[in-house]
Amino acid sequence: MNPTDPLTIAGKTFSSRLMLGTGKYHDFTVMKAALEASGTQIVTVAIRRVELKAPGHDGLLDALDLDRYQLLPNTAGCRTAEEAVRVAKLARAATGVDWLKLEVIPDPKYLLPDPIGTLQAAEILVGEGFTVLPYVQPDAVLARALERVGCATVMPLASPIGSGRGLRTSELIRTVLDGAAVPIVVDAGLGVPSDAAQALELGADAVLVNTAIAEARDPVAMARAFALGVEAGRLGYLAGRMAERESASPSSPVAGVVRLPDPEAVDG
Amino acid sequence: MQVNGQPHPFTPGLTLHALLRELDIAPERVAIAVGDDFYPGGQAPDRELAEGDVVEIVRAIGGG
């Protein structure tokens, strides 16, 4: 199912380059079928307070095959580095894994990450033994700084979270990819499988998708479609794209074309 | 004391396990913080709580 080259993050190797979120699904049955159809091996989860007035709840962790998926808890909802560090420690205690999708997001409208708070939290969490995958705007200077403090990947956004607006930041993501020392995972805003293909064609190492699959009319079919988009994009990247030209270049030989006599050249 | 951001009535001698029983929370699959101490729910000690403690009880849910 995944004939492309493997992806290695923090010493762990994955055959799938498609990470999936587990939010917004109608129910666990659909979510599990979508995860299956996507071929994903890395899935994100959120950490929230238990409802004290209604403690009985369905357990997401019980619904997931934890031998099969690398869990990637996030710090979604955290507005500051301090909140993110606290939620990270709760996430590790709740899941038993030290991988963390670091989100420090003070802005509720566009859900844009705070680059300074993200870098501060990343440095603290790496020091505490976490494998940190930070969510950021596509900023090459920030990306290199996150690499230097020991982040396992950098996850630049394609467009705002949940917007489905596609890869609007490709020129900036190009600069993040150029010289990257860790895998670059395009996260957030992808709407259709061709968006994922485009990200992989650019050279992104992986993508993370949630809303585009969970809110599709048929999430399971869309999960499979994204898997194919990722595979097509990666193969296209590895195959090496042709050079662009300003004008046309005929695909058929120009010599030996059958022509009618030019009327002006014919003797009367 | 505070539990999940809400004031919670404190009684002297209250322990963490007693609090979980009081709230009807099964410790498996949750995580607990008491101040700056973090515990997987199943491994949380039955420590005595103090009036000023800030307690968080969380779980993993669906998210991106």
Side-chain angles (χ1 to χ4, degrees):
Chain A
M1 167 135 179
N2 294 297
T4 57
D5 56 321
L7 167 70
T8 301
I9 298 175
K12 283 198 182 181
T13 298
F14 303 93
S15 56
S16 168
R17 291 173 177 270
L18 174 58
M19 305 182 182
L20 250 63
T22 55
K24 300 181 178 173
Y25 283 94
H26 187 256
D27 57 50
F28 285 161
T29 307
V30 175
M31 179 198 76
K32 284 168 68 174
L35 294 182
E36 171 86 36
S38 75
T40 190
Q41 294 167 300
I42 302 175
V43 299
T44 61
V45 299
I47 301 298
R48 288 292 177 272
R49 286 170 165 163
V50 170
E51 293 279 339
L52 297 181
K53 301 222 167 80
H57 50 253
D58 294 336
L60 173 67
L61 296 186
D62 296 315
L64 289 173
D65 181 351
L66 298 178
D67 293 330
R68 187 165 162 191
Y69 300 117
Q70 168 68 53
L71 277 186
L72 179 56
N74 68 32
T75 61
C78 293
R79 298 162 301 182
T80 63
E82 291 75 16
E83 285 182 353
V85 167
R86 189 161 176 79
V87 169
K89 291 175 180 175
L90 283 165
R92 179 160 64 182
T95 62
V97 305
D98 58 15
W99 283 41
L100 186 81
K101 181 184 162 192
L102 175 61
E103 300 183 37
V104 179
I105 300 181
D107 152 46
K109 182 169 185 188
Y110 297 109
L111 295 174
L112 294 175
D114 167 10
I116 300 163
T118 303
L119 181 59
Q120 289 170 338
E123 190 160 18
I124 294 167
L125 291 169
V126 169
E128 299 261 1
F130 284 87
T131 296
V132 180
L133 293 76
Y135 171 66
V136 290
Q137 297 195 54
D139 176 333
V141 177
L142 175 64
R144 295 302 95 82
L146 290 162
E147 287 174 6
R148 278 197 300 276
V149 302
C151 289
T153 67
V154 174
M155 304 179 78
L157 61 90
S159 51
I161 294 172
S163 70
R165 293 169 65 81
L167 193 60
R168 299 299 182 102
T169 53
S170 53
E171 290 304 315
L172 292 169
I173 284 177
R174 240 184 252 282
T175 65
V176 171
L177 290 168
D178 188 6
V182 297
I184 302 301
V185 183
V186 172
D187 180 12
L190 301 180
V192 287
S194 56
D195 295 334
Q198 217 186 331
L200 275 285
E201 283 167 13
L202 272 182
D205 297 279
V207 293
L208 195 157
V209 181
N210 189 344
T211 307
I213 293 173
E215 291 188 354
R217 185 166 43 78
D218 182 343
V220 179
M222 190 59 88
R224 171 80 179 129
F226 264 94
L228 294 171
V230 166
E231 197 178 311
R234 182 63 183 176
L235 285 171
Y237 170 74
L238 293 175
R241 65 154 298 145
M242 62 166 282
E244 288 186 53
R245 295 185 179 89
E246 285 299 313
S247 56
S249 166
S251 300
S252 305
V254 290
V257 176
V258 176
R259 301 223 185 271
L260 288 174
D262 184 342
E264 287 177 15
V266 175
D267 291 332
Chain B
M1 64 189 295
Q2 282 219 353
V3 179
N4 282 5
Q6 302 291 322
H8 190 85
F10 173 77
T11 47
L14 179 67
T15 68
L16 186 51
H17 287 193
L19 175 69
L20 293 174
R21 280 195 300 275
E22 187 187 313
L23 296 171
D24 197 20
I25 290 171
E28 298 75 26
R29 301 287 196 207
V30 303
I32 300 163
V34 181
D36 289 327
D37 298 325
F38 297 85
Y39 309 107
Q43 294 168 31
D46 196 17
R47 61 183 269 182
E48 206 166 299
L49 297 171
E51 188 155 14
D53 276 343
V54 175
V55 179
E56 295 283 353
I57 307 165
V58 303
R59 64 190 173 107
I61 63 160

